[in-house]
Amino acid sequence: MQLHFSPSMRSITISNSNGGVGDLMKIKVASRQFSYRTLFHTILILAFLLPFIFILTALVTLEGVNKCSSFDCLGRRLGPKLLGRSDGSGMERSEREIREAKFAELTNKHFAASAVPKGIHCLSLRLTDEYSSNAHARKQLPSPELLPLLSDNSLHHFVLSTDNILAASVVVNSAVQSSLKPEKIVFHVITDKKTYAGMHSWFALNPVSPAIVEVKGIHQFDWLTRENVPVLEAVESHYGIRKYYHGNHIAGANLSDITPRSFASKLQARSPKYISLLNHIRIYLPELFPNLDKMVFLDDDVVIQRDLSPLWDIDLNGKVNGAVETCKGEDKWVMSKRFRNYFNFSHPLIAKNLNPDECAWAYGMNIFDLRAWRKTNIRDSYHAWLKENLKSNLTMWKLGTLPPALIAFKGHVHPIDSSWHMLGLGYQNKTKVENVKKAAVIHYNGQSKPWLEIGFEHLRPFWTKYVNNTNDFVRNCHILE
């Protein structure tokens, strides 16, 4: 702040010292002779006034409003403060900051859900090393005399596709321990090439007899070549797809026009697992297991709490897929899914071919009649719709494998009782423990997996009870500690 006297001593100007435009105050003096006494009084008044002006200007500058160059501006900015009134813009700014913090929290949770915990990564590395150094870890699964049982249709065949060794162990352990006839259980565990050695080591060193476990890598299926699944190669290599699933999920988002719940749903839909072949593998079950008639497919984030052998006795009435419908139930958040929740009905192809009110169904615990499946064009339909969505730059749907499956299996689904499959334990914090105890299969679909720190504490014990904490590899990797 600077004080200027005109050469004629007829005016005094107070201006900003920080380069601001304009003057804070300009005092004109009458044209008559200006006495020294008047000058003294003027300077004395200014001596008291200037510090006050300086303090006001400093306050405004600290608030980021450094373009004020008049008392009018200062009054507008500081008047409400001096009068004890709240600043509306300040309140709006606080609300905006809180909202942005919420979206940032959701984004961080998304990345936490997509990451591999250190303990699980340790488990995979140690078991892979064991495969190379321990002959017992490399023993044939199952033993040669049991190989014919892998295609025995009198047994109960489960398929599990995952690269998470700990999760796979929980699914298998829970199924075997909950079964009334474990000797009839055959598990076909499918994993990727990098996880195969570790996965094989785990089940070779930790048998679940009398049940049978087979471990196969994707690379070991002769049929599963790029010639047979060209659309998946396109999904995995397409630049726009990789950018969508691996890019900055908050940059460019119009957070003012979306609710936190919708944003969380969109983030979940952008999980990298949705472009993994392991996630799409279920659409090829009839070709991968040509000698089997019926099987149950399980996701790796489920726990079996009840004997599932009655599933093989369900009459699917000629349908291919026995599944729980997700459009009705006590939990209105989890069980309120219709086609409108998964598809963009402003797209002409979607609007023409689908009904927004049609009930959706759940992936994750499905009984498949492979004989009936082989008589359909389900796989070709799945491929065709995936290609259409790629051509439309993902404007038809966003969420991974379920939407094309909802279309491909249309007319081929037989609803089964909801008690067989309870969903939402990975995103519904209010899930009732009493209801969880009653379900045959509980599904931690959502971001809050039980093996992650973001898992819900009251729901985690249903999963951790099947973790073998006495195992040396589990203890040495400090799993769940």
Side-chain angles (χ1 to χ4, degrees):
M1 188 174 299
Q2 296 176 344
L3 186 66
H4 301 280
F5 293 90
S6 67
S8 63
M9 298 295 289
R10 291 186 176 179
S11 67
I12 303 172
T13 303
I14 304 171
S15 62
N16 283 326
S17 59
N18 58 359
V21 179
D23 300 325
L24 293 177
M25 179 184 293
K26 188 169 184 179
I27 302 174
K28 292 185 178 181
V29 183
S31 60
R32 63 181 178 80
Q33 188 67 30
F34 195 62
S35 69
Y36 286 106
R37 183 173 182 178
T38 302
L39 177 61
F40 173 76
H41 288 154
T42 301
I43 294 174
L44 188 63
I45 292 171
L46 291 175
F48 286 101
L49 184 61
L50 288 177
F52 178 70
I53 296 174
F54 173 79
I55 292 171
L56 292 182
T57 306
L59 286 172
V60 173
T61 303
L62 287 174
E63 290 185 353
V65 189
N66 54 12
K67 294 185 179 180
C68 278
S69 57
S70 67
F71 277 111
D72 178 59
C73 175
L74 288 173
R76 289 197 308 270
R77 296 293 183 184
L78 294 175
K81 296 181 182 296
L82 295 175
L83 294 174
R85 299 173 184 170
S86 62
D87 184 356
S89 62
M91 185 174 296
E92 291 173 3
R93 183 169 61 250
S94 296
E95 291 176 353
R96 184 173 64 252
E97 290 172 353
I98 293 172
R99 183 179 175 82
E100 290 174 353
K102 179 64 177 177
F103 284 117
E105 177 188 351
L106 292 171
T107 303
N108 291 336
K109 185 176 181 180
H110 167 73
F111 287 119
S114 303
V116 178
K118 184 170 64 175
I120 292 179
H121 182 61
C122 165
L123 184 67
S124 181
L125 290 178
R126 294 199 177 205
L127 286 167
T128 299
D129 182 65
E130 193 74 10
Y131 184 85
S132 64
S133 60
N134 184 349
H136 292 291
R138 297 192 301 273
K139 70 180 181 181
Q140 186 173 343
L141 288 178
S143 56
E145 66 273 14
L146 297 178
L147 287 177
L149 299 180
L150 296 179
S151 55
D152 186 342
N153 281 297
S154 68
L155 301 179
H156 298 154
H157 294 265
F158 293 88
V159 176
L160 171 65
S161 176
T162 180
D163 60 356
N164 187 328
I165 298 172
L166 185 67
S169 73
V170 168
V171 174
V172 174
N173 287 343
S174 64
V176 173
Q177 292 180 34
S178 302
S179 175
L180 298 178
K181 296 180 179 179
E183 68 276 5
K184 295 197 69 173
I185 289 181
V186 179
F187 258 98
H188 304 268
V189 180
I190 304 174
T191 191
D192 56 20
K193 191 172 184 178
K194 66 179 175 61
T195 313
Y196 170 75
M199 189 75 76
H200 187 106
S201 293
W202 176 267
F203 288 106
L205 298 174
N206 300 278
V208 289
S209 57
I212 296 171
V213 176
E214 173 196 32
V215 177
K216 292 194 75 170
I218 288 177
H219 59 289
Q220 295 175 318
F221 287 98
D222 295 333
W223 182 88
L224 204 61
T225 63
R226 288 300 179 187
E227 290 73 26
N228 288 325
V229 287
V231 69
L232 295 185
E233 183 175 19
V235 168
E236 292 180 343
S237 61
H238 191 283
Y239 171 76
I241 303 297
R242 297 197 65 81
K243 183 179 179 182
Y244 177 79
Y245 285 103
H246 295 284
N248 187 335
H249 301 331
I250 199 168
N254 188 356
L255 302 183
S256 62
D257 294 335
I258 188 172
T259 66
R261 177 176 172 180
S262 297
F263 185 66
S265 177
K266 289 179 182 295
L267 285 179
Q268 183 181 343
R270 294 175 77 158
S271 171
K273 74 175 184 178
Y274 291 126
I275 58 173
S276 166
L277 182 53
L278 282 175
N279 204 41
H280 290 269
I281 201 79
R282 68 194 88 189
I283 204 68
Y284 307 113
L285 294 178
E287 290 79 18
L288 299 182
F289 300 95
N291 298 317
L292 294 181
D293 296 337
K294 213 170 190 180
M295 61 172 44
V296 168
F297 185 92
L298 297 171
D299 276 352
D300 65 358
D301 52 355
V302 305
V303 172
I304 293 87
Q305 304 187 123
R306 201 166 72 220
D307 179 46
L308 297 186
S309 57
L311 287 174
W312 274 263
D313 299 326
I314 294 177
D315 183 1
L316 298 182
N317 295 319
K319 304 294 185 181
V320 173
N321 178 7
V324 168
E325 291 183 316
T326 56
C327 65
K328 50 193 172 186
E330 181 181 339
D331 192 331
K332 299 302 182 184
W333 189 10
V334 176
M335 303 297 285
S336 61
K337 303 295 190 299
R338 297 183 181 273
F339 275 32
R340 70 167 69 91
N341 299 104
Y342 297 98
F343 298 100
N344 172 22
F345 276 88
S346 64
H347 193 287
L349 272 179
I350 295 296
K352 179 181 178 181
N353 291 278
L354 302 179
N355 176 4
D357 294 322
E358 187 165 345
C359 189
W361 46 266
Y363 249 170
M365 198 289 292
N366 304 84
I367 177 76
F368 289 122
D369 185 335
L370 301 183
R371 292 169 301 178
W373 191 337
R374 294 185 184 103
K375 299 175 184 177
T376 70
N377 66 341
I378 288 174
R379 187 191 73 194
D380 293 338
S381 176
Y382 186 90
H383 282 179
W385 281 95
L386 269 180
K387 289 178 181 177
E388 287 295 335
N389 196 34
L390 286 175
K391 287 192 328 189
S392 73
N393 292 319
L394 299 181
T395 57
M396 297 169 70
W397 71 77
K398 298 295 186 185
L399 183 61
T401 55
L402 181 55
L406 290 175
I407 303 176
F409 282 100
K410 196 171 183 295
H412 299 289
V413 179
H414 177 77
I416 62 176
D417 192 271
S418 60
S419 65
W420 284 112
H421 187 188
M422 181 179 186
L423 298 115
L425 277 72
Y427 67 87
Q428 170 60 299
N429 189 27
K430 298 179 181 179
T431 301
K432 295 180 180 179
V433 171
E434 296 76 17
N435 293 339
V436 174
K437 293 177 180 178
K438 299 175 185 176
V441 175
I442 55 174
H443 195 170
Y444 292 84
N445 58 313
Q447 293 178 315
S448 301
K449 305 299 185 189
W451 56 82
L452 299 175
E453 290 187 6
I454 59 175
F456 301 128
E457 291 296 331
H458 68 297
L459 301 177
R460 184 179 282 124
F462 292 96
W463 186 86
T464 55
K465 66 185 290 187
Y466 294 105
V467 175
N468 183 3
N469 291 305
T470 62
N471 181 274
D472 288 340
F473 291 99
V474 172
R475 287 191 294 105
N476 292 334
C477 287
H478 308 287
I479 301 291
L480 303 179
E481 289 185 5

